[in-house]
Amino acid sequence: MSTLLLFSRSFFLASNGRRQLSNVGFIGLGNMGGHMAKNLIKKGYKLTVFDVNGAAVSSLVEAGANGASSAAEASKNADVVISMLPSNQHVLDCYFGEKGVLSSVKKDVLLVDSSTIDPSISEQVSTAAKKIGARFVDAPVSGGVNAASAATLTLMVGGSKTDFEDAERVLVAVGSRVIHCGKVGAGQATKLCNNMLLGISMIGTAEAFILGERLGLDPKILASVINTSSGRCWSSELYNPVPGVLDNAPSTNGYQGGFGTALMTKDLGLAQAAASRTETPSPLGSIAYQIYRTAMGHGHSKLDFSVVYQFLKGKQ
Amino acid sequence: MSTLLLFSRSFFLASNGRRQLSNVGFIGLGNMGGHMAKNLIKKGYKLTVFDVNGAAVSSLVEAGANGASSAAEASKNADVVISMLPSNQHVLDCYFGEKGVLSSVKKDVLLVDSSTIDPSISEQVSTAAKKIGARFVDAPVSGGVNAASAATLTLMVGGSKTDFEDAERVLVAVGSRVIHCGKVGAGQATKLCNNMLLGISMIGTAEAFILGERLGLDPKILASVINTSSGRCWSSELYNPVPGVLDNAPSTNGYQGGFGTALMTKDLGLAQAAASRTETPSPLGSIAYQIYRTAMGHGHSKLDFSVVYQFLKGKQ
Amino acid sequence: MSTLLLFSRSFFLASNGRRQLSNVGFIGLGNMGGHMAKNLIKKGYKLTVFDVNGAAVSSLVEAGANGASSAAEASKNADVVISMLPSNQHVLDCYFGEKGVLSSVKKDVLLVDSSTIDPSISEQVSTAAKKIGARFVDAPVSGGVNAASAATLTLMVGGSKTDFEDAERVLVAVGSRVIHCGKVGAGQATKLCNNMLLGISMIGTAEAFILGERLGLDPKILASVINTSSGRCWSSELYNPVPGVLDNAPSTNGYQGGFGTALMTKDLGLAQAAASRTETPSPLGSIAYQIYRTAMGHGHSKLDFSVVYQFLKGKQ
Amino acid sequence: MSTLLLFSRSFFLASNGRRQLSNVGFIGLGNMGGHMAKNLIKKGYKLTVFDVNGAAVSSLVEAGANGASSAAEASKNADVVISMLPSNQHVLDCYFGEKGVLSSVKKDVLLVDSSTIDPSISEQVSTAAKKIGARFVDAPVSGGVNAASAATLTLMVGGSKTDFEDAERVLVAVGSRVIHCGKVGAGQATKLCNNMLLGISMIGTAEAFILGERLGLDPKILASVINTSSGRCWSSELYNPVPGVLDNAPSTNGYQGGFGTALMTKDLGLAQAAASRTETPSPLGSIAYQIYRTAMGHGHSKLDFSVVYQFLKGKQ
């Protein structure tokens, strides 16, 4: 019986007295999730993985994971469950579905949702998790596919201090910055606020550079002034939408790679939904959303969102 | 006769073989121009000054300037004329009026207009100046009254390389950065592009932080994430519109001082006029202009433009 | 047994061979619903009513209705259930809640939801209703409190032809126009499209008249030209936002009465949510929404939405 | 001497005691002006015409006009001068140029400018005209090329009552409605306000119908409801942008004919310039302007402005 106790204790606590977090259920093996799962395996975590796409599961099994046939199965014996899914509805299905995460997890499991979704959904999952004794943090990421592959993502985490600290121990395997943003939902809220400002700044940058060119300015000189003045922003300095200003920006590479217009549009839509729900005015956020949405209708969905520069400039 | 020649030569060239630029006509002695004129006097320039406001002239005379009763008189014997005026129309009157600058200046004078105006007006003055053998650069400033007083303005200069270099020799007396942006008008164009992006970013920042607060985020934590992420911009990092985030931002001081909403609105209006003339789309620039304009109608004209945060947030 | 059959038959069909629709369950007795319920009683319908506000129920009981203590109880014996509720969530609770409509209704009941909500919620209720053999139409209204009181509402109905025809027989008791807009959800969709265009046109009218006044035009003369030209719209012609142009418009009466800014904002929010879900660009709809939202933050929530004229004009 | 007096009198007054207005100088023979000039000839006016395009002059000479080689020559002996020009600058050149109208006209001539321009330019021309004893009205038109050809234009006139009445006597030859809008500039102001509201309503209509279609509505049914409800506007009722809703709308004919996007964009630009000058907020007007501007960049300049429906909808 003491053996059992010992075993039971070691089940939750590693030898250094901390909770054991080595068994990870991972759900959602797309462009981002696939890389994150592989990085966890590389760092020694034992993964059980699920995706509706069987091929994605197979690929992870080859990399050393156990395959599961449902979210429930992937989560059953996990110390930590990480989900990386494309939308509110996918997250709801993943956690609340018949074979969903909440149907199978053990008490005290740490649930980490890295999807980018409405913060109110995070709160909803958290509330349900708490009822069955599970813990929840939202942990959306930024950095894109390259950062996912290189394990250099930024993770914005919402949850209690303890839950954040436990999540952090695992998430350093997939990212280089793990930030505690506040209570459950705060990770999502922070990401939406950041990306809304990014989406606005990028269009602002595009407009400023189009106007500058039409007025006869050299975009490189304009960039050098703006980047040392009050117009300075990440979009102008590190991700300039004018081809040729920065060698390694997507704009210089035909707007390939980077952060797709469809994804930016999705994030701005989430921000607007959150603004609506909280009765928050957001005129530029809303019109920025409409501009990316219209650009999508003109064939730019899969190109980097800085292609809004070309969309506004028109065909000449 | 050789004496005359020598004199004549020294009239234009200082002992080091460079043009003489010590006699400065200065027109426009308002909040900005007054400080600039005083800084030139401190650096040893001989100033002859004019302003429609006699008290402003008197104040400079006390500081060591000669007073003039018209722009023409202030410019008559000048090597350099500097103008700092509030609008397109003031600049047109100053240069083309009956007692205007162009009616009196000597050949080869260097005209420097530091007003913030439509670049097409700069081109118009330059063309007329060229016809009478005068040289012209536009050199709008950024930095506000404090930088004008401390001689730490940034000056964005448009003109030929030679004219820029001559202007630079004088303008270092009033600013810490003197940037060559391109041909005549390029200083104005650069300033308008920068300020349009600034005006947009500030509203974007305001919206992101209002949304963040409504979603329960601590603005200081949100700022710390945004300022190290892709939403980073000068408005968030160095001039945050949320009271209390930055100790020395106008927002923390009741939106006093800083860059008035009326001035930002003026600059955005100039940017929109330039966009209109060049058939350039500028949706966010145009709506940002409208937002500051509406905020002016609600009593915020004289407060720092970051007060747009309060305007959007409303009274609650 | 033949008696039972006869009874059973008469239970559904009136003597003229049509379905019996005389027993009405009515849920939601607010400003609009209260008047609608009273008008149904006046036309001879037998009402059983429920509202979370007991006083509202008492008022209808005085008018001749039976009171119920839950939506379920109000609906139990009804041939027709009509709901008039303020939001998506209220409708979901009313139909799906523990003591909700769907828990008690008899087979073949006709459910009529006159709330203004997201068309996707209407579809969700309809789908659930169908599973238990109930029929559903959405039937949002326009016309406001006065039209509700005078039984002159316009009702935009979505549902099958048969269900529409049955609903129409009842709804003529509360409105003067009952329009079949298409399948379930089409009533909501039509109302949202109409109100979005209304919300946009009103701001456009306000802007046109403010500009006209600033340019020295007499608003009555401007109205007479616009109302016979291509700028003509309901907002200019019948609901002009400039005080004094129309004697009976809310603008001439201090923006009292009419259609509150908060209600217009709500409808525009629903339109934007529907646009988002269907990936539809809607730049003017979105910025109109933001303008009314901002006007709410400045104290105009309860005034007629044409007060946006005053909000934009500012205090001068 | 009495003969001279008599002659002199008859020079100004026709036999009915009214001013003689039979000699018309006409400047600007483009799509619109050409038709207007021909209609004046048909009604018996004696025309002397000028255009920078010689072919346009020749065409009118064939129709019975005298050709002139400058604006001055066309105006020299005119009782009335009518100008129909494309932009502010053309009007300034036409009236103030070396061989411009004001250099040659006789005292008491009535100048009628039917160009659509900034009202402040109208005021400028009027002021200069008054100085030389000439009278001025602005009289921009609406109705397009077909109405110009059929002499069914609407003319919005700004000027004194007397000048309006004289202008009206002539203008009934080219239009079916001649409206006195107020003092000089009021014709332009009225047209800009109307067209701004039109430009906004059209985009609003486009958005409402795109959203309706995405939500499954039949556009004809949606139109029938909107056109009898509060969303009703000229764009929906008489010029619907959805192909097939109205048989004779440009949308049903490939957006051919009608009122070109470039012309709508020009008018919205004038409205925004006037709003800027008068410090008038105009958020929807400004964003509508940007949307048409962007649509121009995507190849829609020459199509009817209702093509904004297709631009927003995108390519699918």
Side-chain angles (χ1 to χ4, degrees), chain A:
Chain A
M1 200 164 157
S2 69
T3 310
L4 183 61
L5 262 175
L6 202 66
F7 176 81
S8 171
R9 194 170 158 273
S10 78
F11 190 78
F12 291 111
L13 297 180
S15 55
N16 57 1
R18 300 196 304 177
R19 257 173 228 277
Q20 180 178 312
L21 298 169
S22 55
N23 294 303
V24 175
F26 202 108
I27 299 151
L29 305 166
N31 287 334
M32 299 294 291
H35 285 301
M36 293 165 72
K38 281 174 190 164
N39 282 322
L40 285 161
I41 293 169
K42 282 184 201 161
K43 299 288 165 54
Y45 288 89
K46 291 173 197 158
L47 261 68
T48 308
V49 303
F50 173 67
D51 194 287
V52 290
N53 173 2
V57 174
S58 302
S59 167
L60 262 291
V61 168
E62 279 172 36
N66 297 313
S69 62
S70 70
E73 191 187 332
S75 311
K76 197 168 49 182
N77 296 312
D79 307 317
V80 181
V81 174
I82 302 178
S83 52
M84 187 57 169
L85 298 158
S87 75
N88 290 342
Q89 194 56 52
H90 287 89
V91 172
L92 289 170
D93 292 349
C94 170
Y95 284 89
F96 295 108
E98 206 180 336
K99 294 193 170 180
V101 172
L102 296 183
S103 72
S104 75
V105 285
K106 60 186 186 192
K107 225 176 155 233
D108 218 33
V109 64
L110 177 62
L111 308 175
V112 178
D113 180 39
S114 279
S115 317
T116 295
I117 56 166
D118 193 311
S120 69
I121 304 283
S122 305
E123 291 165 18
Q124 199 176 328
V125 176
S126 173
T127 301
K130 195 170 287 177
K131 281 186 187 155
I132 61 167
R135 306 182 290 145
F136 178 85
V137 299
D138 52 305
V141 308
S142 77
V145 174
N146 290 345
S149 167
T152 56
L153 292 167
T154 293
L155 295 106
M156 288 157 273
V157 182
S160 73
K161 189 159 186 299
T162 310
D163 294 347
F164 165 73
E165 286 168 355
D166 283 349
E168 189 182 26
R169 284 170 50 204
V170 178
L171 296 173
V172 291
V174 302
S176 50
R177 291 174 71 209
V178 185
I179 307 169
H180 191 200
C181 298
K183 63 185 170 53
V184 168
Q188 300 294 352
T190 300
K191 178 166 180 188
L192 295 186
C193 291
N194 181 77
N195 281 17
M196 184 171 86
L197 183 47
L198 169 62
I200 291 168
S201 302
M202 178 56 82
I203 298 177
T205 302
E207 292 183 17
F209 278 81
I210 297 171
L211 179 57
E213 290 175 82
R214 296 272 169 91
L215 293 172
L217 301 180
D218 176 322
K220 288 195 179 185
I221 295 176
L222 179 57
S224 74
V225 180
I226 284 179
N227 294 342
T228 52
S229 302
S230 51
R232 177 164 63 87
C233 60
W234 186 89
S235 295
S236 170
E237 203 174 352
L238 297 175
Y239 213 81
N240 201 290
V242 184
V245 167
L246 294 177
D247 285 349
N248 58 354
S251 59
T252 302
N253 187 27
Y255 301 98
Q256 300 298 317
F259 185 52
T261 301
L263 290 171
M264 174 52 86
T265 307
K266 176 203 158 190
D267 286 4
L268 289 174
L270 289 171
Q272 287 306 301
S276 237
R277 198 176 56 248
T278 55
E279 306 200 342
T280 306
S282 180
L284 292 199
S286 104
I287 201 75
Y289 174 45
Q290 297 299 327
I291 291 169
Y292 290 110
R293 170 71 70 210
T294 308
M296 284 180 68
H298 285 259
H300 298 312
S301 301
K302 291 181 182 171
L303 296 174
D304 180 74
F305 76 113
S306 63
V307 76
V308 73
Y309 165 84
Q310 296 291 0
F311 171 67
L312 288 175
K313 199 174 179 181
K315 303 151 192 161
Q316 312 213 348

Side-chain angles (χ1 to χ4, degrees), chain B residues 272 276 279 281-283 286-287 289-290 293-294, chain D residues 272 276 279 281-283 286-287 289-290 293-294:
Chain B
Q272 287 306 301
S276 235
E279 307 200 342
S282 181
S286 104
I287 201 75
Y289 174 45
Q290 299 298 327
R293 170 71 70 210
T294 308
Chain D
Q272 287 306 301
S276 236
E279 306 200 342
S282 181
S286 103
I287 201 75
Y289 175 44
Q290 298 299 328
R293 170 71 70 210
T294 307

Side-chain angles (χ1 to χ4, degrees), chain D residues 62-254:
Chain D
E62 279 172 35
N66 295 314
S69 61
S70 69
E73 190 186 332
S75 311
K76 194 168 50 182
N77 297 311
D79 308 317
V80 181
V81 175
I82 302 178
S83 52
M84 187 58 169
L85 298 159
S87 75
N88 290 341
Q89 194 55 52
H90 287 90
V91 172
L92 289 170
D93 291 349
C94 170
Y95 284 89
F96 294 109
E98 205 181 337
K99 295 194 170 180
V101 172
L102 297 183
S103 73
S104 75
V105 286
K106 60 187 186 192
K107 228 178 150 229
D108 219 33
V109 65
L110 178 63
L111 309 175
V112 178
D113 181 39
S114 279
S115 317
T116 295
I117 56 167
D118 193 311
S120 69
I121 304 283
S122 305
E123 291 165 17
Q124 199 177 328
V125 177
S126 174
T127 300
K130 195 171 285 176
K131 281 186 187 158
I132 62 169
R135 306 181 292 146
F136 180 85
V137 299
D138 53 305
V141 309
S142 76
V145 174
N146 290 345
S149 167
T152 57
L153 291 166
T154 293
L155 295 106
M156 288 157 273
V157 183
S160 74
K161 190 162 183 300
T162 311
D163 294 347
F164 165 72
E165 285 167 354
D166 282 351
E168 189 182 26
R169 282 169 52 204
V170 180
L171 295 174
V172 292
V174 302
S176 50
R177 291 174 71 208
V178 185
I179 306 168
H180 191 200
C181 298
K183 62 186 170 51
V184 168
Q188 301 295 354
T190 300
K191 178 165 179 188
L192 295 186
C193 291
N194 181 78
N195 281 18
M196 183 170 86
L197 183 46
L198 169 60
I200 292 168
S201 302
M202 179 55 82
I203 298 178
T205 302
E207 292 182 17
F209 278 81
I210 297 170
L211 179 57
E213 291 174 81
R214 297 271 169 91
L215 293 172
L217 300 180
D218 176 321
K220 288 195 179 186
I221 296 177
L222 178 58
S224 74
V225 180
I226 284 179
N227 295 341
T228 53
S229 302
S230 52
R232 177 166 62 88
C233 60
W234 186 89
S235 295
S236 169
E237 204 175 353
L238 297 174
Y239 213 81
N240 200 290
V242 184
V245 167
L246 294 176
D247 285 348
N248 57 355
S251 58
T252 302
N253 188 27

